[in-house]
């Protein structure tokens, strides 16, 4: 019936009710679970809502970066200790999705994102009012736990869209996220100049509140939730089996590994670039900011290109193969030129831009491929994927920092090359063979 199209009078003639049509269209056992979207999923407004939702964690990171030193001065804390505000935020982003994933599969995406954004709003306000570093750390952890709920954004897309449409929507979300990473550090610096570090958290509170209102008034449930047999689906044993299913599924687990390695490549750049360009090459912070923004814009360009390719029905397999190969090649050239001492600034920036474009091209396809075999637990897949990618990013960031020699890009280039090669090898040797063998959920 999927390809069957009949005029409205034909449906009336065979006496199929609107409720029955919704059951056929959405594949749900409970018609009451399907509510019309107040903001139409195909509209630009809905894409913007998803983009803003997915951007919440990154606004919580990037806007706060310029204020670390000022926060330490105001609270009488050492700068190194204030850095823990980022650590606890990242920790919450890595762990909280493991709770949100199965909850969203059981009760739906809407209550999860509404609760999470509300928690982000409360946490942001508490951060703005904090009077000591320990209190700020607790508030930042709560803020991060709220922001982590937005990892179900890609599960929402998987609920509502298929194939190239899902790929295009995910590409749009990637564009929005990287737009935030371009703007947020500059916005944080401007807010710091206008007021104090508390103003940054106040603006996060206002932005979160506006997003919460949009969710409450415009977003309806997207998940296909049934009631039968789900009364104990949040029992620890059930959750554990769900995550084990994700981690042992040949296709999903392979693409989660590919995504973690690709994300590790980017996080190695994010950490190492500031160390190298400012400390090693002596660039001013504003000069480094231009390079950082240029690379974030390159990720956006890659995602935009992927969206255009999806509209033209280019094979995601070919796009993914090409992008992972470009990333590995550019990273390898970066390492080689660093080792032989040919690393000029224009060459380094060009290679980093190539890696960024490749990441923008690949990430939507990776996420879509990981979720496709297990649509019934898309929230769990999204949670595992986001958590593992965040952990991989933390590991690669730590490696780059620990191995940094104080002058060269060697640690950054080595970790980027290792991760990009791991991503390509995982795709070629694990993911593609699993797909060819025809594994199902």
């Amino acid at each position: 019936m999927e390809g069957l199209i009949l005029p409205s009078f034909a449906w009336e003639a065979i006496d199929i009710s609107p409720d029955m049509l919704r059951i056929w269209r959405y594949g749900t056992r409970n018609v009451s679970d399907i509510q019309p979207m107040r903001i139409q999923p195909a509209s630009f407004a809905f894409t913007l809502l998803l983009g803003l939702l997915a951007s919440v964690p990154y606004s919580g990171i990037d806007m706060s970066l310029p204020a670390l030193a000022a926060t330490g001065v105001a609270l009488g804390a050492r700068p190194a200790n204030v850095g823990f505000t980022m650590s606890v935020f990242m920790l919450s982003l890595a762990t909280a999705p493991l709770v949100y994933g199965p909850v969203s599969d059981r009760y739906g995406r809407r209550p999860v994102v509404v609760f999470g954004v509300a928690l982000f709003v409360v946490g942001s306000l508490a951060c703005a009012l904090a009077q000591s570093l320990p209190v700020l750390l607790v508030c930042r952890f709560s803020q991060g736990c709220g922001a982590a709920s937005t990892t179900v954004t890609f599960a929402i897309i998987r609920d509502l869209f298929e194939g190239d449409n899902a790929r295009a929507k995910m590409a749009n979300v990637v564009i929005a996220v990287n737009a935030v990473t371009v703007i947020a550090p500059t916005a944080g610096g401007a807010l710091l100049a206008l007021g104090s570090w508390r103003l940054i958290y106040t603006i996060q509170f206002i932005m979160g509140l506006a997003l919460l209102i949009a969710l409450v008034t415009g977003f309806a449930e997207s998940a296909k939730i049934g009631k039968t047999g789900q009364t104990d689906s949040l029992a620890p044993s059930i959750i554990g089996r769900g995550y084990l299913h994700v981690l042992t599924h040949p296709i999903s687990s392979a693409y989660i590994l590919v995504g973690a390695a690709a994300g590790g490549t980017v996080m190695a750049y994010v950490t190492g670039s500031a160390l190298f360009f400012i400390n090693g090459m002596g660039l001013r912070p504003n000069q480094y900011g231009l390079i950082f923004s240029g690379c974030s814009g390159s990720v956006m360009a890659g995602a935009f290109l992927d969206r255009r390719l999806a509209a033209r029905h280019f094979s995601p397999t070919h796009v993914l193969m090409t992008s992972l190969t470009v990333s590995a090649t550019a990273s390898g050239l970066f390492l080689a030129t660093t080792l032989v001492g040919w690393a000029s600034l224009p060459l380094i920036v060009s290679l980093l831009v190539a890696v960024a474009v490749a990441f923008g091209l690949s990430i939507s396809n990776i996420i879509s491929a990981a979720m496709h075999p297990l649509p019934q637990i898309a929230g769990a897949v999204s949670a595992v994927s986001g958590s593992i990618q965040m952990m991989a990013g933390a590991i690669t960031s730590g490696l780059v920092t620990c191995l940094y020699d104080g002058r060269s890009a060697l640690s950054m280039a080595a970790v980027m090359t290792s991760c990009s090669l791991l991503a390509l090898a995982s795709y070629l040797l694990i993911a593609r063979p699993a797909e060819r063998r025809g594994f199902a959920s």
Side-chain angles (χ1 to χ4, degrees), residues 252-266 320 324 359 362-363 366-367 370 385-386 388-390 392-393 419 422-424 426-427:
S252 290
S253 61
Y255 277 105
I256 288 172
L257 177 59
V258 174
T265 304
V266 174
L320 191 50
L324 292 175
F359 181 75
S362 66
I363 191 62
I366 292 171
I367 295 170
S385 178
I388 291 179
Q389 187 169 332
M390 194 64 64
C419 289
L422 176 61
L424 180 60
S426 299
Y427 177 68

PDB file of all heavy atoms in Angstrom, residues 252-266 320 324 359 362-363 366-367 370 385-386 388-390 392-393 419 422-424 426-427:
ATOM      1  N   SER A 252      24.160  -0.758  13.363  1.00  0.00           N
ATOM      2  CA  SER A 252      24.070   0.411  14.239  1.00  0.00           C
ATOM      3  C   SER A 252      25.362   0.635  15.020  1.00  0.00           C
ATOM      4  O   SER A 252      25.875   1.755  15.093  1.00  0.00           O
ATOM      5  CB  SER A 252      22.894   0.269  15.207  1.00  0.00           C
ATOM      6  OG  SER A 252      21.674   0.386  14.528  1.00  0.00           O
ATOM      7  N   SER A 253      25.898  -0.432  15.612  1.00  0.00           N
ATOM      8  CA  SER A 253      27.121  -0.278  16.402  1.00  0.00           C
ATOM      9  C   SER A 253      28.295   0.157  15.532  1.00  0.00           C
ATOM     10  O   SER A 253      29.144   0.951  15.955  1.00  0.00           O
ATOM     11  CB  SER A 253      27.452  -1.593  17.117  1.00  0.00           C
ATOM     12  OG  SER A 253      27.674  -2.643  16.180  1.00  0.00           O
ATOM     13  N   ALA A 254      28.338  -0.344  14.295  1.00  0.00           N
ATOM     14  CA  ALA A 254      29.425   0.039  13.388  1.00  0.00           C
ATOM     15  C   ALA A 254      29.365   1.522  13.061  1.00  0.00           C
ATOM     16  O   ALA A 254      30.384   2.231  13.089  1.00  0.00           O
ATOM     17  CB  ALA A 254      29.353  -0.788  12.111  1.00  0.00           C
ATOM     18  N   TYR A 255      28.166   2.019  12.780  1.00  0.00           N
ATOM     19  CA  TYR A 255      28.044   3.435  12.448  1.00  0.00           C
ATOM     20  C   TYR A 255      28.224   4.327  13.669  1.00  0.00           C
ATOM     21  O   TYR A 255      28.679   5.469  13.553  1.00  0.00           O
ATOM     22  CB  TYR A 255      26.708   3.708  11.759  1.00  0.00           C
ATOM     23  CG  TYR A 255      26.752   3.404  10.279  1.00  0.00           C
ATOM     24  CD1 TYR A 255      26.136   2.263   9.767  1.00  0.00           C
ATOM     25  CD2 TYR A 255      27.433   4.232   9.399  1.00  0.00           C
ATOM     26  CE1 TYR A 255      26.188   1.966   8.411  1.00  0.00           C
ATOM     27  CE2 TYR A 255      27.491   3.947   8.043  1.00  0.00           C
ATOM     28  CZ  TYR A 255      26.866   2.815   7.556  1.00  0.00           C
ATOM     29  OH  TYR A 255      26.932   2.533   6.213  1.00  0.00           O
ATOM     30  N   ILE A 256      27.869   3.824  14.840  1.00  0.00           N
ATOM     31  CA  ILE A 256      28.158   4.581  16.063  1.00  0.00           C
ATOM     32  C   ILE A 256      29.665   4.733  16.236  1.00  0.00           C
ATOM     33  O   ILE A 256      30.165   5.802  16.609  1.00  0.00           O
ATOM     34  CB  ILE A 256      27.516   3.890  17.283  1.00  0.00           C
ATOM     35  CG1 ILE A 256      25.996   4.069  17.244  1.00  0.00           C
ATOM     36  CG2 ILE A 256      28.088   4.452  18.586  1.00  0.00           C
ATOM     37  CD1 ILE A 256      25.258   3.268  18.292  1.00  0.00           C
ATOM     38  N   LEU A 257      30.410   3.673  15.940  1.00  0.00           N
ATOM     39  CA  LEU A 257      31.874   3.743  16.009  1.00  0.00           C
ATOM     40  C   LEU A 257      32.422   4.726  14.975  1.00  0.00           C
ATOM     41  O   LEU A 257      33.312   5.523  15.274  1.00  0.00           O
ATOM     42  CB  LEU A 257      32.475   2.351  15.783  1.00  0.00           C
ATOM     43  CG  LEU A 257      34.011   2.264  15.754  1.00  0.00           C
ATOM     44  CD1 LEU A 257      34.620   2.771  17.054  1.00  0.00           C
ATOM     45  CD2 LEU A 257      34.454   0.822  15.479  1.00  0.00           C
ATOM     46  N   VAL A 258      31.886   4.681  13.759  1.00  0.00           N
ATOM     47  CA  VAL A 258      32.315   5.622  12.720  1.00  0.00           C
ATOM     48  C   VAL A 258      32.059   7.057  13.173  1.00  0.00           C
ATOM     49  O   VAL A 258      32.918   7.937  13.038  1.00  0.00           O
ATOM     50  CB  VAL A 258      31.573   5.338  11.391  1.00  0.00           C
ATOM     51  CG1 VAL A 258      31.913   6.417  10.351  1.00  0.00           C
ATOM     52  CG2 VAL A 258      31.940   3.970  10.850  1.00  0.00           C
ATOM     53  N   GLY A 259      30.868   7.308  13.729  1.00  0.00           N
ATOM     54  CA  GLY A 259      30.526   8.649  14.194  1.00  0.00           C
ATOM     55  C   GLY A 259      31.393   9.116  15.342  1.00  0.00           C
ATOM     56  O   GLY A 259      31.785  10.293  15.404  1.00  0.00           O
ATOM     57  N   ALA A 260      31.705   8.201  16.270  1.00  0.00           N
ATOM     58  CA  ALA A 260      32.566   8.565  17.397  1.00  0.00           C
ATOM     59  C   ALA A 260      33.966   8.933  16.920  1.00  0.00           C
ATOM     60  O   ALA A 260      34.569   9.903  17.398  1.00  0.00           O
ATOM     61  CB  ALA A 260      32.627   7.415  18.392  1.00  0.00           C
ATOM     62  N   ALA A 261      34.492   8.154  15.969  1.00  0.00           N
ATOM     63  CA  ALA A 261      35.830   8.443  15.443  1.00  0.00           C
ATOM     64  C   ALA A 261      35.843   9.756  14.669  1.00  0.00           C
ATOM     65  O   ALA A 261      36.786  10.563  14.790  1.00  0.00           O
ATOM     66  CB  ALA A 261      36.305   7.297  14.554  1.00  0.00           C
ATOM     67  N   ALA A 262      34.800   9.997  13.870  1.00  0.00           N
ATOM     68  CA  ALA A 262      34.711  11.262  13.127  1.00  0.00           C
ATOM     69  C   ALA A 262      34.578  12.438  14.084  1.00  0.00           C
ATOM     70  O   ALA A 262      35.219  13.491  13.894  1.00  0.00           O
ATOM     71  CB  ALA A 262      33.525  11.217  12.167  1.00  0.00           C
ATOM     72  N   GLY A 263      33.763  12.278  15.128  1.00  0.00           N
ATOM     73  CA  GLY A 263      33.639  13.336  16.125  1.00  0.00           C
ATOM     74  C   GLY A 263      34.931  13.561  16.884  1.00  0.00           C
ATOM     75  O   GLY A 263      35.276  14.697  17.229  1.00  0.00           O
ATOM     76  N   GLY A 264      35.664  12.469  17.155  1.00  0.00           N
ATOM     77  CA  GLY A 264      36.957  12.603  17.816  1.00  0.00           C
ATOM     78  C   GLY A 264      37.945  13.385  16.987  1.00  0.00           C
ATOM     79  O   GLY A 264      38.769  14.145  17.517  1.00  0.00           O
ATOM     80  N   THR A 265      37.883  13.230  15.662  1.00  0.00           N
ATOM     81  CA  THR A 265      38.745  14.008  14.766  1.00  0.00           C
ATOM     82  C   THR A 265      38.504  15.503  14.947  1.00  0.00           C
ATOM     83  O   THR A 265      39.440  16.299  15.069  1.00  0.00           O
ATOM     84  CB  THR A 265      38.484  13.620  13.296  1.00  0.00           C
ATOM     85  OG1 THR A 265      38.668  12.214  13.137  1.00  0.00           O
ATOM     86  CG2 THR A 265      39.414  14.368  12.356  1.00  0.00           C
ATOM     87  N   VAL A 266      37.224  15.873  14.976  1.00  0.00           N
ATOM     88  CA  VAL A 266      36.867  17.292  15.101  1.00  0.00           C
ATOM     89  C   VAL A 266      37.227  17.833  16.484  1.00  0.00           C
ATOM     90  O   VAL A 266      37.734  18.948  16.623  1.00  0.00           O
ATOM     91  CB  VAL A 266      35.371  17.486  14.799  1.00  0.00           C
ATOM     92  CG1 VAL A 266      34.945  18.923  15.078  1.00  0.00           C
ATOM     93  CG2 VAL A 266      35.086  17.133  13.349  1.00  0.00           C
ATOM     94  N   LEU A 320      29.342   9.276   1.827  1.00  0.00           N
ATOM     95  CA  LEU A 320      30.050   8.927   3.058  1.00  0.00           C
ATOM     96  C   LEU A 320      31.451   8.414   2.761  1.00  0.00           C
ATOM     97  O   LEU A 320      32.427   8.793   3.432  1.00  0.00           O
ATOM     98  CB  LEU A 320      29.245   7.878   3.823  1.00  0.00           C
ATOM     99  CG  LEU A 320      29.671   7.564   5.255  1.00  0.00           C
ATOM    100  CD1 LEU A 320      29.826   8.842   6.073  1.00  0.00           C
ATOM    101  CD2 LEU A 320      28.664   6.640   5.910  1.00  0.00           C
ATOM    102  N   LEU A 324      34.730  10.534   4.180  1.00  0.00           N
ATOM    103  CA  LEU A 324      35.660   9.911   5.114  1.00  0.00           C
ATOM    104  C   LEU A 324      37.059   9.795   4.504  1.00  0.00           C
ATOM    105  O   LEU A 324      38.073   9.939   5.211  1.00  0.00           O
ATOM    106  CB  LEU A 324      35.148   8.530   5.522  1.00  0.00           C
ATOM    107  CG  LEU A 324      33.872   8.503   6.372  1.00  0.00           C
ATOM    108  CD1 LEU A 324      33.413   7.067   6.596  1.00  0.00           C
ATOM    109  CD2 LEU A 324      34.082   9.210   7.705  1.00  0.00           C
ATOM    110  N   PHE A 359      33.539  16.512   7.431  1.00  0.00           N
ATOM    111  CA  PHE A 359      32.706  16.173   8.592  1.00  0.00           C
ATOM    112  C   PHE A 359      31.264  16.606   8.355  1.00  0.00           C
ATOM    113  O   PHE A 359      30.318  15.862   8.650  1.00  0.00           O
ATOM    114  CB  PHE A 359      33.254  16.834   9.850  1.00  0.00           C
ATOM    115  CG  PHE A 359      32.480  16.513  11.097  1.00  0.00           C
ATOM    116  CD1 PHE A 359      32.594  15.281  11.701  1.00  0.00           C
ATOM    117  CD2 PHE A 359      31.624  17.449  11.663  1.00  0.00           C
ATOM    118  CE1 PHE A 359      31.873  14.968  12.843  1.00  0.00           C
ATOM    119  CE2 PHE A 359      30.894  17.149  12.803  1.00  0.00           C
ATOM    120  CZ  PHE A 359      31.021  15.910  13.399  1.00  0.00           C
ATOM    121  N   SER A 362      29.575  14.153   6.108  1.00  0.00           N
ATOM    122  CA  SER A 362      29.409  12.776   6.581  1.00  0.00           C
ATOM    123  C   SER A 362      28.448  12.606   7.738  1.00  0.00           C
ATOM    124  O   SER A 362      27.762  11.576   7.825  1.00  0.00           O
ATOM    125  CB  SER A 362      30.780  12.212   6.988  1.00  0.00           C
ATOM    126  OG  SER A 362      31.301  12.899   8.117  1.00  0.00           O
ATOM    127  N   ILE A 363      28.371  13.577   8.641  1.00  0.00           N
ATOM    128  CA  ILE A 363      27.745  13.315   9.937  1.00  0.00           C
ATOM    129  C   ILE A 363      26.261  12.975   9.816  1.00  0.00           C
ATOM    130  O   ILE A 363      25.755  12.084  10.514  1.00  0.00           O
ATOM    131  CB  ILE A 363      27.977  14.500  10.910  1.00  0.00           C
ATOM    132  CG1 ILE A 363      27.557  14.121  12.321  1.00  0.00           C
ATOM    133  CG2 ILE A 363      27.290  15.761  10.407  1.00  0.00           C
ATOM    134  CD1 ILE A 363      28.339  12.975  12.915  1.00  0.00           C
ATOM    135  N   ILE A 366      25.961   9.411   8.697  1.00  0.00           N
ATOM    136  CA  ILE A 366      26.351   8.472   9.748  1.00  0.00           C
ATOM    137  C   ILE A 366      25.213   8.281  10.745  1.00  0.00           C
ATOM    138  O   ILE A 366      24.855   7.150  11.106  1.00  0.00           O
ATOM    139  CB  ILE A 366      27.618   8.980  10.465  1.00  0.00           C
ATOM    140  CG1 ILE A 366      28.824   8.939   9.516  1.00  0.00           C
ATOM    141  CG2 ILE A 366      27.905   8.135  11.712  1.00  0.00           C
ATOM    142  CD1 ILE A 366      30.060   9.634  10.070  1.00  0.00           C
ATOM    143  N   ILE A 367      24.623   9.391  11.191  1.00  0.00           N
ATOM    144  CA  ILE A 367      23.540   9.318  12.170  1.00  0.00           C
ATOM    145  C   ILE A 367      22.345   8.574  11.593  1.00  0.00           C
ATOM    146  O   ILE A 367      21.741   7.712  12.240  1.00  0.00           O
ATOM    147  CB  ILE A 367      23.142  10.732  12.631  1.00  0.00           C
ATOM    148  CG1 ILE A 367      24.290  11.396  13.388  1.00  0.00           C
ATOM    149  CG2 ILE A 367      21.895  10.682  13.507  1.00  0.00           C
ATOM    150  CD1 ILE A 367      24.078  12.857  13.667  1.00  0.00           C
ATOM    151  N   ALA A 370      23.007   4.850  11.390  1.00  0.00           N
ATOM    152  CA  ALA A 370      23.006   4.197  12.697  1.00  0.00           C
ATOM    153  C   ALA A 370      21.593   3.951  13.209  1.00  0.00           C
ATOM    154  O   ALA A 370      21.305   2.923  13.835  1.00  0.00           O
ATOM    155  CB  ALA A 370      23.790   5.040  13.702  1.00  0.00           C
ATOM    156  N   SER A 385      24.645   6.831  20.707  1.00  0.00           N
ATOM    157  CA  SER A 385      25.511   7.500  19.742  1.00  0.00           C
ATOM    158  C   SER A 385      26.053   8.812  20.295  1.00  0.00           C
ATOM    159  O   SER A 385      27.257   9.087  20.228  1.00  0.00           O
ATOM    160  CB  SER A 385      24.743   7.745  18.444  1.00  0.00           C
ATOM    161  OG  SER A 385      25.552   8.424  17.508  1.00  0.00           O
ATOM    162  N   GLY A 386      25.155   9.639  20.863  1.00  0.00           N
ATOM    163  CA  GLY A 386      25.588  10.922  21.409  1.00  0.00           C
ATOM    164  C   GLY A 386      26.526  10.764  22.582  1.00  0.00           C
ATOM    165  O   GLY A 386      27.518  11.493  22.701  1.00  0.00           O
ATOM    166  N   ILE A 388      28.520   8.144  23.342  1.00  0.00           N
ATOM    167  CA  ILE A 388      29.822   7.618  22.935  1.00  0.00           C
ATOM    168  C   ILE A 388      30.625   8.672  22.179  1.00  0.00           C
ATOM    169  O   ILE A 388      31.840   8.803  22.366  1.00  0.00           O
ATOM    170  CB  ILE A 388      29.638   6.347  22.094  1.00  0.00           C
ATOM    171  CG1 ILE A 388      29.116   5.207  22.976  1.00  0.00           C
ATOM    172  CG2 ILE A 388      30.942   5.932  21.416  1.00  0.00           C
ATOM    173  CD1 ILE A 388      28.864   3.910  22.246  1.00  0.00           C
ATOM    174  N   GLN A 389      29.951   9.456  21.345  1.00  0.00           N
ATOM    175  CA  GLN A 389      30.664  10.507  20.620  1.00  0.00           C
ATOM    176  C   GLN A 389      31.215  11.553  21.582  1.00  0.00           C
ATOM    177  O   GLN A 389      32.333  12.048  21.404  1.00  0.00           O
ATOM    178  CB  GLN A 389      29.741  11.167  19.597  1.00  0.00           C
ATOM    179  CG  GLN A 389      30.470  12.158  18.700  1.00  0.00           C
ATOM    180  CD  GLN A 389      29.617  12.610  17.527  1.00  0.00           C
ATOM    181  OE1 GLN A 389      28.743  11.900  17.066  1.00  0.00           O
ATOM    182  NE2 GLN A 389      29.879  13.802  17.037  1.00  0.00           N
ATOM    183  N   MET A 390      30.437  11.894  22.608  1.00  0.00           N
ATOM    184  CA  MET A 390      30.912  12.873  23.589  1.00  0.00           C
ATOM    185  C   MET A 390      32.103  12.317  24.375  1.00  0.00           C
ATOM    186  O   MET A 390      33.082  13.035  24.626  1.00  0.00           O
ATOM    187  CB  MET A 390      29.776  13.232  24.540  1.00  0.00           C
ATOM    188  CG  MET A 390      30.046  14.462  25.388  1.00  0.00           C
ATOM    189  SD  MET A 390      30.208  15.980  24.441  1.00  0.00           S
ATOM    190  CE  MET A 390      28.553  16.112  23.746  1.00  0.00           C
ATOM    191  N   ALA A 392      34.197  10.014  23.313  1.00  0.00           N
ATOM    192  CA  ALA A 392      35.331   9.976  22.388  1.00  0.00           C
ATOM    193  C   ALA A 392      35.959  11.350  22.242  1.00  0.00           C
ATOM    194  O   ALA A 392      37.195  11.486  22.204  1.00  0.00           O
ATOM    195  CB  ALA A 392      34.875   9.460  21.022  1.00  0.00           C
ATOM    196  N   GLY A 393      35.106  12.378  22.180  1.00  0.00           N
ATOM    197  CA  GLY A 393      35.622  13.737  22.101  1.00  0.00           C
ATOM    198  C   GLY A 393      36.423  14.120  23.328  1.00  0.00           C
ATOM    199  O   GLY A 393      37.468  14.781  23.227  1.00  0.00           O
ATOM    200  N   CYS A 419      42.163   9.213  14.395  1.00  0.00           N
ATOM    201  CA  CYS A 419      40.703   9.128  14.453  1.00  0.00           C
ATOM    202  C   CYS A 419      40.084   9.045  13.066  1.00  0.00           C
ATOM    203  O   CYS A 419      39.143   8.264  12.843  1.00  0.00           O
ATOM    204  CB  CYS A 419      40.144  10.342  15.201  1.00  0.00           C
ATOM    205  SG  CYS A 419      40.454  10.343  16.980  1.00  0.00           S
ATOM    206  N   LEU A 422      40.590   5.651  11.710  1.00  0.00           N
ATOM    207  CA  LEU A 422      39.700   4.713  12.394  1.00  0.00           C
ATOM    208  C   LEU A 422      38.284   4.812  11.837  1.00  0.00           C
ATOM    209  O   LEU A 422      37.614   3.794  11.641  1.00  0.00           O
ATOM    210  CB  LEU A 422      39.695   4.986  13.898  1.00  0.00           C
ATOM    211  CG  LEU A 422      38.730   4.147  14.744  1.00  0.00           C
ATOM    212  CD1 LEU A 422      39.057   2.659  14.620  1.00  0.00           C
ATOM    213  CD2 LEU A 422      38.775   4.588  16.211  1.00  0.00           C
ATOM    214  N   ALA A 423      37.824   6.032  11.578  1.00  0.00           N
ATOM    215  CA  ALA A 423      36.485   6.219  11.009  1.00  0.00           C
ATOM    216  C   ALA A 423      36.379   5.561   9.640  1.00  0.00           C
ATOM    217  O   ALA A 423      35.414   4.839   9.350  1.00  0.00           O
ATOM    218  CB  ALA A 423      36.162   7.715  10.901  1.00  0.00           C
ATOM    219  N   LEU A 424      37.376   5.789   8.791  1.00  0.00           N
ATOM    220  CA  LEU A 424      37.361   5.202   7.444  1.00  0.00           C
ATOM    221  C   LEU A 424      37.451   3.683   7.509  1.00  0.00           C
ATOM    222  O   LEU A 424      36.708   2.968   6.806  1.00  0.00           O
ATOM    223  CB  LEU A 424      38.513   5.779   6.623  1.00  0.00           C
ATOM    224  CG  LEU A 424      38.652   5.263   5.180  1.00  0.00           C
ATOM    225  CD1 LEU A 424      37.395   5.561   4.373  1.00  0.00           C
ATOM    226  CD2 LEU A 424      39.887   5.882   4.519  1.00  0.00           C
ATOM    227  N   SER A 426      36.606   1.702  10.016  1.00  0.00           N
ATOM    228  CA  SER A 426      35.370   1.155  10.588  1.00  0.00           C
ATOM    229  C   SER A 426      34.271   1.091   9.548  1.00  0.00           C
ATOM    230  O   SER A 426      33.474   0.135   9.517  1.00  0.00           O
ATOM    231  CB  SER A 426      34.921   2.017  11.776  1.00  0.00           C
ATOM    232  OG  SER A 426      35.899   2.030  12.795  1.00  0.00           O
ATOM    233  N   TYR A 427      34.229   2.099   8.697  1.00  0.00           N
ATOM    234  CA  TYR A 427      33.213   2.108   7.646  1.00  0.00           C
ATOM    235  C   TYR A 427      33.475   1.009   6.620  1.00  0.00           C
ATOM    236  O   TYR A 427      32.572   0.247   6.267  1.00  0.00           O
ATOM    237  CB  TYR A 427      33.186   3.476   6.969  1.00  0.00           C
ATOM    238  CG  TYR A 427      32.206   3.554   5.823  1.00  0.00           C
ATOM    239  CD1 TYR A 427      30.841   3.490   6.063  1.00  0.00           C
ATOM    240  CD2 TYR A 427      32.642   3.670   4.513  1.00  0.00           C
ATOM    241  CE1 TYR A 427      29.925   3.543   5.024  1.00  0.00           C
ATOM    242  CE2 TYR A 427      31.742   3.721   3.458  1.00  0.00           C
ATOM    243  CZ  TYR A 427      30.386   3.661   3.722  1.00  0.00           C
ATOM    244  OH  TYR A 427      29.493   3.698   2.682  1.00  0.00           O
TER     245      TYR A 427
END
